[in-house]
Amino acid sequence: MPGLITMDDLTNEEIISILDDAERLLPVARGEVYLPLLQGRILGNLFFEPSTRTRMSFETAMKRLGGDVVNLGDVKTSSVVKGETLFDTIQMVDGYTDIIAMRHPRQGAAQYACDSADVPILNGGDGAGHHPTQTMLDLFTIRQSHGTLEGLNVVLAGDLRYGRTVHSLSHALVRFGCNVTFASPESLRMPEEIVADLNAHGAEVVETDDLLSQINNADVIYMTRIQKERFPDEDEYAKVAGAYKLEASDLDEAKAEMIIMHPLPRVDEIHPSVDSTRHARYFEQAFNGVVARMALMCWLLGVDVPEDINEKGVAL
Ligand code: NCD
């Protein structure tokens, strides 16, 4: 079954078409228009790791489009604690649902699920691997602010080693002709195989540990949380915790249109003083998760998003 496991599963044309669909769905996501494009469909939410935004925005997206959702719920109260394998869980949920959103601590788990499922699987994060639905909302947010993706200077900062959001995003940005700069502590640099893949796509990646020196030239600064749960031990985490703390006063010389993004949750890498600056875009970004996931589910289920949403839907 086709699914969305990494950004390689989408061509550039498909990405643009899904972003266009997402844009048209904004009034539906805002609750201004009711358009039950996915009526009668059931989404299975299988989150084997904590999630607030990804799980809730998938659920909101499905319900706003007239569909329904079943949840695995807390892993601790599911049969996973009795030793059920991922294969068996998927075999079953596959029969209950029309499409599955899945998050799992193991890298590669989403591909494994996709190989064994008859319904489409959307990878909502597989360990330190990929997070392509997040990339779609990130691309949507960047295009919404800058009108284009091409030629932008994008700084990805923080935990580039374990951060799955930046693994998927960097790949997509390079395919759309962005200039990417990686800012991280030495021990959290982007994995070599990902840098090699970006180079193979013609990118000239810049790597630094000095985030502040990159601010003035940036069109987008994408901050990430240090992924504490992926560190082999607490001491290693303690060495890099709090490595970057962006404050409003750091942004005095930034370009007026520069935006600051973050997949959230944040810990201390963006100070609340940044929230009220013109640059902060992370809460809009989180909202965009609804339209991006609406458009992705329509695409995977073969449902066309109409051009004239306001005429097709019911005004609320
Ligand atoms: C991210 C994730 O789970 O990878 N969160 C999200 O989906 N918005 C980022 C993170 O947990 O730091």
Side-chain angles (χ1 to χ4, degrees):
M1 246 300 148
L4 179 61
I5 308 304
T6 75
M7 289 307 289
D8 276 324
D9 293 323
L10 295 171
T11 65
N12 284 15
E13 291 70 30
E14 284 169 334
I15 291 172
I16 293 296
S17 155
I18 293 165
L19 296 182
D20 290 344
D21 288 350
E23 200 164 326
R24 293 203 299 284
L25 287 163
L26 277 168
V28 184
R30 290 194 196 108
E32 295 161 5
V33 171
Y34 182 60
L35 184 67
L37 290 176
L38 297 182
Q39 196 164 34
R41 313 290 183 116
I42 296 182
L43 164 72
N45 258 345
L46 291 189
F47 283 74
F48 297 91
E49 257 194 350
S51 171
T52 303
R53 272 149 297 272
T54 306
R55 188 175 51 78
M56 288 186 72
S57 62
F58 260 118
E59 188 152 348
T60 304
M62 194 45 142
K63 289 186 171 170
R64 290 266 195 224
L65 289 173
D68 225 321
V69 184
V70 291
N71 270 286
L72 174 73
D74 186 349
V75 173
K76 288 194 219 70
T77 60
S78 74
S79 285
V80 175
V81 286
K82 297 183 188 170
E84 182 163 67
T85 63
L86 179 59
F87 182 84
D88 284 3
T89 306
I90 294 292
Q91 288 309 302
M92 223 188 28
V93 177
D94 181 289
Y96 297 161
T97 62
D98 303 296
I99 186 164
I100 293 174
M102 183 177 128
R103 169 171 290 181
H104 199 279
R106 200 170 66 235
Q107 196 166 338
Q111 185 61 58
Y112 175 77
C114 192
D115 293 342
S116 57
D118 290 327
V119 301
I121 303 276
L122 287 142
N123 180 9
D126 61 324
H130 298 269
H131 197 347
T133 70
Q134 176 74 40
T135 293
M136 291 302 286
L137 73 96
D138 293 341
L139 295 176
F140 183 88
T141 306
I142 296 172
R143 196 179 75 154
Q144 192 177 46
S145 296
H146 288 290
T148 181
L149 297 168
E150 182 118 23
L152 297 174
N153 296 331
V154 183
V155 180
L156 304 179
D159 186 349
L160 308 184
R161 178 174 183 185
Y162 297 116
R164 54 197 174 196
T165 61
V166 283
H167 296 168
S168 294
L169 181 59
S170 57
H171 173 83
L173 291 173
V174 162
R175 276 169 50 186
F176 281 102
C178 291
N179 308 311
V180 291
T181 300
F182 294 150
S184 73
E186 178 65 26
S187 63
L188 297 180
R189 283 170 68 171
M190 187 62 89
E192 267 172 35
E193 64 275 15
I194 295 187
V195 176
D197 167 65
L198 301 178
N199 288 337
H201 280 84
E204 283 170 38
V205 172
V206 177
E207 295 185 86
T208 176
D209 61 1
D210 182 4
L211 170 62
L212 295 183
S213 68
Q214 301 302 315
I215 293 177
N216 299 358
N217 195 35
D219 298 303
V220 177
I221 298 179
Y222 192 98
M223 298 295 291
T224 61
R225 176 179 69 88
I226 311 277
Q227 308 280 297
K228 185 177 183 192
E229 66 277 26
R230 312 245 181 261
F231 281 69
D233 65 70
E234 282 271 338
D235 290 350
E236 287 303 307
Y237 172 70
K239 283 185 201 154
V240 285
Y244 298 137
K245 291 183 178 167
L246 209 54
E247 301 198 11
S249 56
D250 296 326
L251 308 175
D252 292 344
E253 307 290 319
K255 291 186 189 178
E257 304 310 322
M258 184 273 282
I259 59 168
I260 297 174
M261 297 172 65
H262 193 304
L264 302 176
R266 65 174 150 178
V267 180
D268 54 4
E269 55 278 357
I270 301 180
H271 189 267
S273 63
V274 176
D275 298 2
S276 53
T277 69
R278 60 179 298 154
H279 306 290
R281 209 57 99 247
Y282 25 94
F283 294 117
E284 287 91 338
Q285 181 187 355
F287 169 76
N288 290 338
V290 178
V291 276
R293 293 178 171 120
M294 279 177 167
L296 281 168
M297 287 193 286
C298 286
W299 176 72
L300 279 170
L301 290 169
V303 172
D304 284 337
V305 176
E307 295 290 333
D308 49 345
I309 292 247
N310 288 325
E311 272 113 80
K312 291 266 169 21
V314 177
L316 295 170

